[in-house]
Amino acid sequence: MNRTTRPTARATGATRRAALLGAALGLLALTACGGPAVSLPAAAVAPPPGTVPSQAAAAPSSPAPGSAAASPQDPGSAASAAPSAGAGKPLAGRTVVLDPGHNPGNADHATEINQQVDVGNGRKECDTTGTETNAGYTEAEFTLDVSHRLRDLLQGLGATVLLTQDGDRPWGPCVTERAAIGNAAHADAAISVHGDGGPASGSGFHVIMPAKVVAGKADTRPITDPSHRLGLLVRDDFQKATGEGYASYVADQGLDTRDDLGGLNLSTVPKVFIECGNMRNAGDAQKMTDPQWRQQAAQGIADAFRAFLTGS
C-alpha cells in the first residue's frame, strides 16, 4: 500500500447462486496497496474495461512463492464460482466473495490500470501493481495463494465461494468491478486480501473497514455496522491463528476505517480488507513467503467468517 495516499481520518439477505454473476456489473475502481518499488509511470486515461467480471476458475493452493499464475484469459468471461459443499455444514447456503488484491499481469498494463474510475466520493486509479518483498515475491502471488487456501477451507464448511479474479485475465479487474461482483452475487460477506507495502521498519497486520460514505454511487450506511463486526472477528481470529502482531506503523490496534477505497465504498454487502503483513519488512516477508504461515493466515480468516455467518 502506498503510504503517501492514506488518509489520517479514523473513522445483508438470502444468498444466490453463482449463476447470478452472468450479468455482473461493469464498474471500475481503486485498490488499497502498492509499494513504491513497483510503482508504474503515469499513463493516458483509457476507455473503461469490459463490463463482465472475470472467470476465476478453481485452482489448487499455490505450493510456494514464485509459482506461475494461470494463463490469462478473456477479461470478458464470468467470475468463478465454487459449488456449495451441501447441507449439513455450518456455512451451507452462504455465499462468500474473496477478492485477491491486484493481478500478476498488472505491471504489463500500465495504461489500463492507471485509468481513473469513479469510487463515489472521488476518482482513483483502476488498480495498482501491488507491492513485493525485497526478494521479489509479489503481493499478487501472495493474495492468490492465501485466497485459494481460504476458498478451500470455506468450501469445506459448505459455503459457495466466488473469486473476483484468479490470475486468469491479463489485468485487473478494477476494484469497482471487484465490488460489483460481490454485489451481483448478493454475497453474505466479502473480503479483499492484501499484503502491505509500508516502511521497512514497520511490521504487523491490520484490517480496514468502510467508513460511512454517501456520495455519488456510494452509500455504505447499510454495511458499516456488519462490516465492523466482521472486521473485529477477522482481526482477532487472524492474530490467534498466525501470532502476527498489530501493525506498528498504521491503524489503531489492528483496525483502520477508510473512505477512499472503491472496493469498500461501492460494496452493498458486508466487506473488509486485510493487510496480512508488511511485505517490505524483513520479518513479515519471511513469514509471508512461508506456505505454512499462509495456511495459518487462511485458517484465521475462515474462522472469522464462520463466526460472523453463524453468529457463534
Side-chain angles (χ1 to χ4, degrees), residues 70-275:
S71 299
Q73 302 295 330
D74 180 0
S77 54
S80 78
S84 170
K89 304 261 181 108
L91 299 188
R94 299 291 196 166
T95 298
V96 176
V97 169
L98 307 181
D99 179 25
H102 313 289
N103 183 312
N106 278 359
D108 297 323
H109 293 85
T111 298
E112 292 87 347
I113 70 169
N114 281 341
Q115 62 187 300
Q116 297 286 299
V117 296
D118 185 359
V119 299
N121 58 358
R123 298 186 67 80
K124 301 287 184 176
E125 293 81 5
C126 158
D127 205 352
T128 71
T129 61
T131 189
E132 64 183 7
T133 67
N134 291 336
Y137 180 46
T138 69
E139 182 182 1
E141 292 177 271
F142 172 81
T143 64
L144 275 175
D145 182 87
V146 172
S147 295
H148 290 161
R149 296 170 186 272
L150 177 55
R151 177 193 60 198
D152 294 346
L153 291 167
L154 292 172
Q155 285 179 330
L157 295 171
T160 294
V161 182
L162 318 178
L163 270 66
T164 61
Q165 62 92 14
D166 203 1
D168 56 346
R169 54 189 290 168
W171 56 274
C174 296
V175 297
T176 42
E177 185 181 347
R178 294 173 187 258
I181 292 169
N183 298 345
H186 296 271
D188 293 285
I191 189 166
S192 189
V193 179
H194 287 266
D196 208 2
S201 60
S203 64
F205 81 98
H206 65 286
V207 177
I208 305 171
M209 305 171 296
K212 288 186 178 180
V213 176
V214 183
K217 301 175 182 179
D219 184 354
T220 64
R221 289 174 298 182
I223 70 163
T224 50
D225 287 345
S227 295
H228 184 77
R229 292 196 299 272
L230 176 60
L232 287 170
L233 288 166
V234 170
R235 180 196 67 174
D236 294 348
D237 286 331
F238 185 88
Q239 184 179 55
K240 184 185 301 183
T242 64
E244 182 79 350
Y246 299 150
S248 62
Y249 58 97
V250 69
D252 181 14
Q253 293 295 298
L255 295 174
D256 199 3
T257 301
R258 292 180 59 170
D259 65 0
D260 66 320
L261 301 179
L264 295 180
N265 286 4
L266 299 173
S267 181
T268 59
V269 304
K271 184 176 182 179
V272 299
F273 278 47
I274 182 168
E275 300 283 357

